[in-house]
Amino acid sequence: CQTSDLQHQHQHQSGGGGGGSNNQSGQGVVTSQVGGPNNMGAASAAAAQLNNALQLPNPPSLTNLEEIADTIAAAQMQQQRDALAMYISQTECQYLKALLNLFPAAEAKGDYGALATLAACIKTILLLNDPAIIE
């Protein structure tokens, strides 16, 4: 069983609790699709369950950082990870650049929890190993 650093980090910071996320109009939606026209029966049911939409708060800020971390950590299946990589790499990786720009604000506040969460988010994004993101 493999646990990502982001999940592990978030559990320690938030006490492992869940918490709901509200769907705000400023959120980016990352969709992942599984299956196709050749899938029937149980495969179609499984595909329908896996057709999840990952919603990233936009723009990223220190106040919605936990929601961003939760969303990134939730992308466990390859289709979700691919959808996340596509979303992050849109518009010359502006979302990633916005996350990186949060580091100075967190440092100025001395918010070490936010710094650790940001670092885990960036690490997970880089580990998506998407060429557009790595560039």
Side-chain angles (χ1 to χ4, degrees):
C1 181
Q2 182 180 17
T3 304
S4 73
D5 290 340
L6 184 58
Q7 287 174 325
H8 182 62
Q9 177 68 32
H10 180 67
Q11 285 176 343
H12 285 294
Q13 290 180 3
S14 66
S21 64
N22 52 6
N23 186 2
Q24 299 172 347
S25 61
Q27 292 179 329
V29 177
V30 180
T31 59
S32 63
Q33 305 257 340
V34 177
N38 296 332
N39 289 344
M40 296 290 194
S44 293
Q49 287 179 340
L50 298 176
N51 186 12
N52 296 328
L54 302 173
Q55 297 184 5
L56 288 170
N58 201 2
S61 68
L62 292 178
T63 57
N64 60 15
L65 186 57
E66 289 298 321
E67 187 177 351
I68 294 167
D70 290 341
T71 303
I72 291 172
Q76 294 297 309
M77 300 179 58
Q78 188 60 45
Q79 293 84 2
Q80 292 171 324
R81 293 172 59 83
D82 290 344
L84 179 62
M86 282 180 38
Y87 180 79
I88 297 288
S89 64
Q90 288 176 355
T91 62
E92 298 180 4
C93 297
Q94 286 300 315
Y95 199 86
L96 178 59
K97 291 174 185 176
L99 281 174
L100 290 170
N101 287 333
L102 295 178
F103 276 100
E107 285 178 332
K109 287 184 170 182
D111 189 347
Y112 298 110
L115 287 168
T117 302
L118 274 168
C121 287
I122 300 301
K123 178 181 178 182
T124 302
I125 290 169
L126 292 175
L127 289 175
L128 292 172
N129 204 24
D130 184 84
I133 294 173
I134 302 298
E135 287 177 12

